[in-house]
Amino acid sequence: MAAAAAPDVRAACRQAWEPVLARAPRAVVFLDAAAAEALHWGGGGAGRLLAAGALAVRALPGAAAAAAARAVFVVSGALRGRAAAAVRGVLGLGAVRHCALVAAGEAEGGGRAELEETLRRWMGEGGHAEVVLQAPPLLAPVSAELCLVPGLAPLLPPLPRQRDRRGGSPRPGGGPGGGPGELGLAALPAELRAAVHALVGSLDALFAALGLREESFAVGSLSRAVAAELASYAPARNRRRAAPHRASVVFVDRTLDLAGAVGHHGDNLAEKILSVLPKLPGHKTDVMVNMVELTALQTPDEACSVIAPGCLAQPNDPAAKALWESFMNLKQKEAVMEARRHLVEAASRENLPIKMGMGRVTPEQLSSYIQLFKNNFKALENHCGLLQLVLATVQTLKHPQNSKWDNFLAFERLLLQTIGESEMPSVLKQLLPMIKSYNERTQDDYTCEDFLVLLVYMYSVVGEMKGGKELDEAEEEVKKALVKAICDEPEPSPLLQKITGCDSSLNLAPQKATDAVDNIFESLRDIAGARMHMKQFNSIHNPGSNTHQASYKPLLKQVVEEICNSDRPDPVDIEHVSSGLTDLLKTGFSMFMKVNRPHPGDHPLLIIYMIGGVTVSEVKMVKDLVATRKPGTQVLVLSSALLTPLSAIELLFATDHLQSDTDI
């Protein structure tokens, strides 16, 4: 019953844009990248702003252009650093006389009045400024069960050596990984502290919009710091006193299980589309869909930059939204059949001469159906969103990386078996012959980036391992082979450029590649030790037996199974973070009295926040597990990013990860 009355997250995402829409008439609206992504998925798109009377919608920062007399700036975080410089740059041109700033938080050291004074100073004499501090926050509802916070896409729980390199305080006891309570907010580097404060502010604003009174739980060190900050945050404490809906919020550190982030699990069409198609410019999640097939244009240019790309987010098209949910929730074969069914129904409604094929759906069959819409402009307009999703399907199924997906899956299964039977040095030696330089590789061979994916998978699955001379020597051999392969690249890929800090092969000296690979292997050792403080969730590898193959058991699956356990044992590694003296006393008394301690399965709404990103497969797994084990419970997955194997590698190893963004 309670689940039926549960709050509507998509409605909250649309509501977040009301302050912008109210100020849009006769104004140019400037959006930062994260705000644009939130508008794209859940705010109705730029068309909604233009329909509200906006003169234009522009990127912030972007090319300096003469603005109208009125401007609205939408910033996904506080007005600081690069965002402040971009706003100042537009106002400094002198054209804007009336500006409104819609921001997700106050600038450091100043509230609304101080911000308005700063904006007036940047505009010059006679300017009028208004500041709206955003509530609810700008979120991207990617599916019915998944919402992203695009402004916090770089947020990842730091590995121990990363904390030390970025200026964090050393952990008490100095052991790798640390205990669940050891990582306090004060121990974090400044930019990570700012990200945690931003996350807590965003969550409080979202929970206020949804009318939630939450109990917070944590799995992992950074999760505990975030949950503690949310529990003690003064506005959140006031909100919880009067909120009508009860919810459990479980924070989970991504770094406890990176095999889930880089692995090729599941048989999911959405995951493959997001992994193989190129990203939409300026976006972290959505992809570019080549639309040439729907035009009469003849071009050898595969990217075809002349035609605007299509995309996956279709917030204003119910049929396309329904098909995208199928892509997220069904197996690939079923999802492709759904694509054909939607296409056939659309063609029938437009009286197009379609012949319904039976049996297996092929990309060629889908393409032939798409061709029927090509010269019928009314049909194109009516079903444009649907056609973009079906084209994304065709392009993914034909993509060379799609066949490589199955190779990865097979190799990961082999690794699971090998890890159970052999020590790590032996596994690394088996990998060595497969690391090939650019001139030696065929299309089926693994690239340098592919090897980083496999290494992260291996070290995360194997967990804590014995060090020693044999492991050091095996790692050195792999390092040398990787350095050589990186240096032999004729032109480093964008990802390798971010990892090495070199934008061309001319700048890529062997020493730079060596330093980058050394740092990667330091991180890999930390990844292997990430779960060492766990008692219940210390393994994600099932070694198998005579009757069962070795398998990967996702940490998130273990967490959700524990939450849904009908016996309701006190969770060992899911720590309750109290929000006040009453909870603290309850937790304390329960050690010697029969007092029910708060349990994450207590409430009709379960919110999982994966700090550091989540995958499509994980969202589906959480949804299916809760539906089976705890029917009637509503589930919502929140995170900062929707990960693919390569985006997870970038998040882990890119040199510009979560750079300091100091105040202007």
Side-chain angles (χ1 to χ4, degrees), residues 556-613:
L556 189 55
K557 183 178 184 183
Q558 296 178 53
V559 169
V560 175
E561 284 176 343
E562 184 64 17
I563 291 169
C564 298
N565 189 336
S566 56
D567 296 337
R568 292 175 49 85
D570 279 345
V572 179
D573 287 330
I574 306 174
E575 186 177 356
H576 177 245
V577 182
S578 70
S579 55
L581 184 61
T582 310
D583 284 340
L584 204 58
L585 289 172
K586 193 186 286 186
T587 304
F589 283 138
S590 70
M591 293 169 69
F592 11 16
M593 294 175 65
K594 187 87 174 151
V595 177
N596 285 335
R597 295 175 66 179
H599 188 280
D602 283 344
H603 303 307
L605 172 60
L606 172 64
I607 298 173
I608 306 275
Y609 193 108
M610 280 291 278
I611 301 181

Side-chain angles (χ1 to χ4, degrees), residues 191-203:
E191 67 271 20
L192 196 49
R193 278 201 306 276
V196 169
H197 286 308
L199 172 57
V200 167
S202 293
L203 288 177

Side-chain angles (χ1 to χ4, degrees), residues 331-501:
K331 289 186 180 295
Q332 179 178 309
K333 184 180 175 183
E334 295 162 352
V336 173
M337 288 176 74
E338 272 297 286
R340 178 174 68 180
R341 184 179 69 79
H342 275 273
L343 209 51
V344 167
E345 285 179 4
S348 300
R349 277 200 296 275
E350 299 295 339
N351 294 319
L352 299 175
I354 196 157
K355 291 178 183 173
M356 176 63 178
M358 301 303 290
R360 185 166 163 267
V361 187
T362 64
E364 292 73 24
Q365 185 188 62
L366 292 176
S367 282
S368 70
Y369 291 171
I370 288 167
Q371 291 298 315
L372 298 173
F373 292 81
K374 188 170 176 177
N375 295 316
N376 187 325
F377 293 116
K378 190 68 182 166
L380 270 175
E381 187 180 9
N382 290 344
H383 306 285
C384 189
L386 181 66
L387 291 166
Q388 288 172 66
L389 288 180
V390 181
L391 277 169
T393 302
V394 170
Q395 287 159 29
T396 298
L397 295 176
K398 287 182 171 180
H399 201 285
Q401 282 293 119
N402 187 45
S403 59
K404 213 171 185 182
W405 186 281
D406 294 332
N407 295 347
F408 265 110
L409 187 56
F411 195 67
E412 284 159 11
R413 284 179 179 157
L414 183 63
L415 280 174
L416 290 170
Q417 200 69 36
T418 311
I419 286 165
E421 296 165 356
S422 312
E423 295 290 329
M424 194 60 154
S426 167
V427 181
L428 287 169
K429 283 172 187 168
Q430 290 177 48
L431 275 185
L432 205 51
M434 299 168 64
I435 304 175
K436 296 178 182 177
S437 292
Y438 179 81
N439 292 329
E440 301 168 337
R441 285 200 301 264
T442 66
Q443 190 172 303
D444 292 331
D445 287 323
Y446 294 114
T447 63
C448 299
E449 300 94 320
D450 293 340
F451 265 98
L452 297 182
V453 167
L454 292 172
L455 286 168
V456 169
Y457 185 86
M458 281 167 54
Y459 277 76
S460 185
V461 165
V462 82
E464 200 181 349
M465 55 190 170
K466 280 192 312 215
K469 188 181 173 188
E470 198 183 354
L471 178 60
D472 292 344
E473 287 174 354
E475 285 185 343
E476 281 305 317
E477 289 296 313
V478 173
K479 282 186 199 177
K480 280 181 198 165
L482 262 178
V483 168
K484 182 180 184 307
I486 290 170
C487 289
D488 286 350
E489 291 291 313
E491 202 54 54
S493 66
L495 179 53
L496 284 181
Q497 289 175 32
K498 289 175 182 173
I499 290 170
T500 59

Side-chain angles (χ1 to χ4, degrees), residues 37-61:
E37 197 154 4
L39 178 69
H40 178 74
W41 283 99
R48 191 173 173 213
L49 294 176
L50 296 170
L55 299 178
V57 181
R58 291 186 181 150
L60 183 77

Side-chain angles (χ1 to χ4, degrees), residues 282-324:
H283 287 248
K284 301 282 186 191
T285 304
D286 210 343
V287 297
M288 289 198 288
V289 181
N290 191 327
M291 303 296 287
V292 174
E293 206 170 320
L294 286 170
T295 72
L297 197 65
Q298 301 292 319
T299 173
D301 173 17
E302 275 189 28
C304 190
S305 50
V306 178
I307 303 293
C311 60
L312 303 174
Q314 304 293 336
N316 305 316
D317 184 333
K321 261 169 71 175
L323 183 57
W324 174 243

